[in-house]
Amino acid sequence: MNQDQADTVRAARRMSFNANADVYQRGRPPYPAAVFDLLAERCGLGPGSRVLEIGAGSGLATGVLLAAGARVVAVEPGERLAALLVGEHGCDRLEVCVSDFETADLSGEFDLAVAATALHWVDPVTSTERIGRLVRPGGWLAAWWNEFGDARRPTLFRDRLDAVYHDLLPGETGYRDSRSQALDTDRWRRQLTAGGFFGDVSVEIIEWQQTLTPQTARDQWSTFPNIAELAPSDREQFLTRLGSIIDELGGHVDDPRLTIVYTARRAGRPDVI
């Protein structure tokens, strides 16, 4: 796949969440409180801080940022997701910009820019510079991802689910051998420090688990692009078998999760916005 094809796939997949915005809102779990504790302790998140949120979705992170007292400018390209965000979290400290981040009409200076399971959807070549010109010197960039499953904590549920992937998505790597893109620390350190705007990069890994029922699992897996791209009959077969595994394991399973958090401090040079 050449770069143009990769860009086309990325653009289509990042808008796939908007097509099923209600399912996305139901299916994606909240982020651990430890993420926001880290933002408060290291990055100064708190009352009055000005926060730029990139790819806000339906507001899984937005609500917690607002609860911390921040003023948030949330950029979300999907109109349906943005409507859910406003409906759930609309207030005088929230401004929602319905746009791609790369072309959004934004002005600095922000104390903190955040991207919750979103930074991989924006242009990797230009995004760091754009963020750097919007965050004040001494401010922060924080990007984090939820990783669904953990190869270091194998479970019977995941082993049985691998058989479903093998049948319907044979090109996928089994979860015991998979490697999260979020754990590619060399890649993200290079991207976050590109152009010299940000340094002092730290990586934190938060371990937790999510209890899944057949319905919550169906909702969650429905939001994953590789499942959404299956032919309708194959997608329904996948989701039905997914739910059946959980039924057979007692009606609920505890599925390991990781949240990988990168923080980087804005260099002190006086760039003009």
Side-chain angles (χ1 to χ4, degrees):
M1 183 183 296
N2 62 36
Q3 188 59 52
D4 288 342
Q5 291 171 322
D7 290 344
T8 299
V9 169
R10 184 176 71 243
R13 283 189 162 188
R14 77 175 175 178
M15 292 305 294
S16 67
F17 310 114
N18 186 63
N20 295 292
D22 291 332
V23 174
Y24 185 89
Q25 186 179 42
R26 292 197 311 269
R28 291 297 176 110
Y31 296 105
V35 173
F36 303 95
D37 292 342
L38 178 65
L39 297 186
E41 294 165 8
R42 180 174 299 163
C43 307
L45 173 66
S49 55
R50 190 163 188 244
V51 178
L52 169 65
E53 184 179 6
I54 301 163
S58 60
L60 287 173
T62 316
V64 189
L65 297 170
L66 292 168
R71 293 171 291 145
V72 180
V73 176
V75 181
E76 169 50 50
E79 291 184 0
R80 294 177 182 175
L81 285 168
L84 291 174
L85 172 61
V86 172
E88 185 76 17
H89 301 293
C91 67
D92 60 3
R93 288 186 288 108
L94 175 64
E95 176 186 340
V96 178
C97 179
V98 184
S99 172
D100 292 330
F101 171 68
E102 294 87 344
T103 56
D105 184 10
L106 301 167
S107 60
E109 294 181 326
F110 291 93
D111 301 305
L112 169 65
V114 304
T117 314
L119 198 62
H120 60 296
W121 294 120
V122 301
D123 187 328
V125 176
T126 64
S127 59
T128 300
E129 179 176 353
R130 177 138 220 246
I131 296 167
R133 294 188 181 280
L134 290 165
V135 174
R136 65 170 175 80
W140 291 84
L141 166 60
W144 66 91
W145 289 264
N146 276 345
E147 175 67 10
F148 297 91
D150 181 359
R152 297 172 301 175
R153 291 179 286 163
T155 65
L156 177 58
F157 165 66
R158 283 285 170 170
D159 285 336
R160 292 187 60 180
L161 184 58
D162 260 6
V164 184
Y165 274 98
H166 177 77
D167 291 345
L168 296 169
L169 286 161
E172 298 276 338
T173 302
Y175 89 95
R176 286 177 181 260
D177 299 318
S178 65
R179 176 72 174 172
S180 167
Q181 58 86 25
L183 289 168
D184 187 349
T185 56
D186 289 341
R187 167 195 170 180
W188 288 109
R189 285 180 185 277
R190 286 194 303 270
Q191 182 164 330
L192 294 177
T193 58
F197 290 92
F198 292 95
D200 191 20
V201 178
S202 294
V203 186
E204 317 291 335
I205 300 175
I206 301 163
E207 293 187 357
W208 55 291
Q209 62 185 22
Q210 181 185 4
T211 300
L212 297 171
T213 66
Q215 187 58 55
T216 57
R218 281 185 64 103
D219 286 343
Q220 190 166 110
W221 264 257
S222 293
T223 70
F224 298 157
N226 58 345
I227 306 304
E229 291 165 1
L230 287 169
S233 60
D234 287 344
R235 182 168 61 249
E236 181 56 34
Q237 181 185 164
F238 185 101
L239 297 173
T240 298
R241 291 175 65 182
L242 166 67
S244 295
I245 293 170
I246 298 175
D247 273 331
E248 293 163 8
L249 293 174
H252 67 274
V253 296
D254 292 329
D255 198 27
R257 299 280 179 270
L258 297 174
T259 301
I260 303 99
V261 188
Y262 291 79
T263 56
R265 189 161 196 176
R266 175 67 163 82
R269 68 191 197 198
D271 288 295
V272 176
I273 304 301

